[in-house]
């Protein structure tokens, strides 16, 4: 999604500068044109040659360097940039940017840029918590800049607290959201469910399924990248919580029902990708059920039908999308589910198709509505999510 984009990375005097080299490498591998601007103090922590080797572009430090490629270099770079990220951003440079001081190549270029600017503060905890620094960050936010909250942990100075620059993977996601996707879902409220549920048998055992949550998490991430206000209701999964998303963790089908129905009225779009248990034990043992020589039978009862409830209780203009995983008669069963649940779209896939199903990084799906069926080829789940959201957007535009 970032291929062909131009990213300006500003590097200031902080021990965290080494992380920016990894970020630059990551961006270049994605086909991004990366230009690095450093303060003179930053060059004490990392050599400009490092960035020149990684990006293939001259690393700029001196505003008056005569060996440049463009006629007025800071203006030329500013015009090319799709996004600027200053990482690490020192207290000194944050203060300059907040008050319009442009006295080196980095701050001069930032002043000339019209694109989005993202700051990743990195410094001693006491400096970060200083009211002056916080006021300067508020000024930057007021001018439309985004400020990434520092990580908490052990700092190079020996203190422990807020002030660590986040890892390159986190910084990359901020750039991806800003420059890699259109903001066409801005203002939309989207709820996504993901993962399995666990239905307790006793304090030791439970009934569940093979869902890993990857598809639902991909939908939540991409919706957030595209500007939506996203709530993710997730069953138990082994996945990191997505950035830019409010994540609600649940375990059982009943907990997921309560979490979804409590929030459904305020949503514009609901995508129910979770694999919710259809049945749960009628009674849950308070102690571990001991094995015996004979067979064991467990009485099961139906769980709450979340999608059915949503179809019966939707608010005006709300778009509902469900998922259907089948092992046979995929289209027929999915069409029947679409009608029975009174929803707008169902995403159908067959567990037996190579590249689809639980635990994979790809999927093969068919998007089914009352008047159309669109079969997608095998894709990464993020690409499936993007196609799905585009189709939903077409059907929800006023």
């Amino acid at each position: 999604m970032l291929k062909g984009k131009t990213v300006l990375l500003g590097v200031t005097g902080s021990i965290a500068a080494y992380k920016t080299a990894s970020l630059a490498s990551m961006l270049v591998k994605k086909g991004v044109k990366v230009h690095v601007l450093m303060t003179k103090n930053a060059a004490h922590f990392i050599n400009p040659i490092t960035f020149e080797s990684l990006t293939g572009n001259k690393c700029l430090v001196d505003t008056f360097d005569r060996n440049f490629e463009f006629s007025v270099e800071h203006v030329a770079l500013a015009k090319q940039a799709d996004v600027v990220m200053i990482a690490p951003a020192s207290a000194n440079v944050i203060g300059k940017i907040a008050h319009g001081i442009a006295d080196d190549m980095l701050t001069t270029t930032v002043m000339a840029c019209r694109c989005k600017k993202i700051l990743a503060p990195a410094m001693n905890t006491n400096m970060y918590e200083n009211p002056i620094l916080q006021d300067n960050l508020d000024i930057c936010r007021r001018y439309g800049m985004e400020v990434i909250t520092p990580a908490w942990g052990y700092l190079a100075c020996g203190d422990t607290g807020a002030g660590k620059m986040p890892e390159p993977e986190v910084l990359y996601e901020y750039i991806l959201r800003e420059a890699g996707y259109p903001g066409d879902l801005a203002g939309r409220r989207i709820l996504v469910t993901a993962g399995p549920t666990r239905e307790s048998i006793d304090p030791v055992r439970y009934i569940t399924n093979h869902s890993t949550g990857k598809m639902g998490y991909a939908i939540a991430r991409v919706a957030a990248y595209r500007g939506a206000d996203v709530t993710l209701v997730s069953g138990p999964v082994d996945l990191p919580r997505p950035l830019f998303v409010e994540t609600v963790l649940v375990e059982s089908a009943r907990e997921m029902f309560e979490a979804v129905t409590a929030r459904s009225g305020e949503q514009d779009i609901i995508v129910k990708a979770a694999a919710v248990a259809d049945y749960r034990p009628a009674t849950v043992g308070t102690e571990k059920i001991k094995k015996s020589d004979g067979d064991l039978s467990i009485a099961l009862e139906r769980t709450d039908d979340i999608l059915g409830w949503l179809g019966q209780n939707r608010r005006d203009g709300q778009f509902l999308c469900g998922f259907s995983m089948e092992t046979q008669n995929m289209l027929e069963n999915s069409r029947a589910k679409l009608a029975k649940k009174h929803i707008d779209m169902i995403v159908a896939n067959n567990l037996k198709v190579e590249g689809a199903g639980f635990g994979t990084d790809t999927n093969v799906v068919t998007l089914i509505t009352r008047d159309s069926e669109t079969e997608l080829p095998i894709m990464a789940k993020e690409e499936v999510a993007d196609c799905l959201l585009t189709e939903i957007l077409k059907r929800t535009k006023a």
Side-chain angles (χ1 to χ4, degrees):
M1 291 295 180
L2 286 170
K3 187 175 182 180
K5 300 288 185 177
T6 298
V7 174
L8 301 189
L9 293 180
V11 184
T12 71
S14 167
I15 190 65
Y18 75 93
K19 292 183 178 180
T20 313
S22 296
L23 174 62
S25 176
M26 194 179 302
L27 290 167
V28 170
K29 289 176 182 176
K30 297 291 184 180
V32 178
K33 301 172 186 175
V34 180
H35 293 272
V36 179
L37 304 97
M38 299 176 66
T39 64
K40 290 183 178 179
N41 286 338
H44 293 300
F45 291 91
I46 188 168
N47 196 303
I49 296 173
T50 301
F51 290 110
E52 292 173 350
S53 299
L54 290 170
T55 67
N57 293 313
K58 180 176 174 60
C59 182
L60 302 172
V61 180
D62 186 354
T63 309
F64 300 103
D65 184 351
R66 304 307 301 165
N67 182 24
F68 52 67
E69 195 174 333
F70 311 104
S71 55
V72 185
E73 193 152 11
H74 65 278
V75 175
L77 282 177
K79 288 179 179 179
Q80 290 184 29
D82 293 295
V83 61
V84 175
M85 174 176 280
I86 303 177
S90 66
N92 184 53
V93 166
I94 290 169
K96 288 181 181 181
I97 292 172
H99 296 282
I101 298 172
D103 62 356
D104 60 11
M105 192 65 187
L106 193 161
T107 52
T108 302
T109 304
V110 169
M111 280 290 289
C113 282
R114 292 184 179 272
C115 63
K116 184 65 171 282
K117 304 167 190 72
I118 305 171
L119 309 178
M123 63 197 71
N124 168 267
T125 300
N126 293 335
M127 292 177 68
Y128 177 69
E129 294 176 350
N130 189 303
I132 298 173
L133 186 279
Q134 290 299 320
D135 284 347
N136 286 337
L137 289 177
D138 286 340
I139 291 171
C140 291
R141 293 187 185 99
R142 195 165 72 240
Y143 286 122
M145 302 179 206
E146 182 157 17
V147 178
I148 302 174
T149 301
W152 193 96
Y154 182 79
L155 305 174
C157 61
D159 291 343
T160 299
K164 287 174 65 69
M165 190 170 81
E167 295 303 310
E169 292 78 9
V170 174
L171 302 179
Y172 173 81
E173 288 212 40
Y174 277 86
I175 294 171
L176 179 62
R177 179 179 64 159
E178 179 57 36
Y181 288 86
D184 51 3
L185 288 175
R188 304 293 184 101
R189 292 162 298 181
I190 300 180
L191 185 146
V192 181
T193 68
T197 62
R198 292 175 179 172
E199 312 304 323
S200 293
I201 297 172
D202 60 25
V204 177
R205 307 175 182 90
Y206 54 79
I207 298 171
T208 190
N209 56 61
H210 295 293
S211 175
T212 60
K214 287 184 175 182
M215 190 67 246
Y217 272 59
I219 296 168
R221 277 197 308 273
V222 174
Y225 291 153
R226 292 175 65 164
D229 180 2
V230 182
T231 300
L232 172 65
V233 179
S234 172
V237 299
D238 187 22
L239 296 172
R241 296 191 191 187
L243 290 174
F244 323 119
V245 170
E246 178 192 358
T247 303
V248 180
L249 301 179
V250 300
E251 185 139 336
S252 68
R254 183 64 194 177
E255 289 175 353
M256 185 168 284
F257 176 83
E258 291 172 351
V260 171
T261 56
R263 295 165 174 81
S264 63
E266 60 194 32
Q267 306 300 322
D268 300 305
I269 299 165
I270 298 178
V271 181
K272 223 186 80 45
V276 182
D278 294 320
Y279 294 90
R280 62 176 168 241
T283 59
V284 179
T286 57
E287 304 291 343
K288 177 184 175 182
I289 300 171
K290 304 297 290 183
K291 67 180 178 181
S292 62
D293 293 335
D295 295 333
L296 173 67
S297 296
I298 299 174
L300 301 177
E301 63 182 13
R302 282 297 308 270
T303 57
D304 301 289
D305 185 347
I306 302 174
L307 195 56
W309 187 95
L310 292 171
Q312 294 293 336
N313 295 275
R314 74 164 75 200
R315 69 172 177 79
D316 290 343
Q318 189 176 69
F319 190 95
L320 300 178
C321 174
F323 270 66
S324 173
M325 179 167 282
E326 304 290 343
T327 58
Q328 56 185 349
N329 302 322
M330 181 188 76
L331 295 178
E332 294 85 346
N333 291 337
S334 299
R335 291 188 200 110
K337 185 175 181 179
L338 177 77
K340 182 179 179 181
K341 306 293 184 180
H342 304 287
I343 60 177
D344 303 291
M345 179 184 290
I346 197 153
V347 182
N349 62 354
N350 191 320
L351 188 60
K352 295 181 178 179
V353 173
E354 185 176 355
F358 296 129
T360 63
D361 292 325
T362 59
N363 214 346
V364 184
V365 305
T366 300
L367 309 181
I368 301 174
T369 65
R370 295 182 185 88
D371 56 11
S372 69
E373 293 182 6
T374 304
E375 183 177 353
L376 301 180
I378 184 170
M379 294 179 175
K381 286 184 174 176
E382 285 74 14
E383 294 176 304
V384 173
D386 203 33
C387 290
L388 169 62
L389 291 167
T390 296
E391 192 62 32
I392 291 174
L393 186 61
K394 289 178 185 176
R395 295 172 178 275
T396 56
K397 282 186 175 178

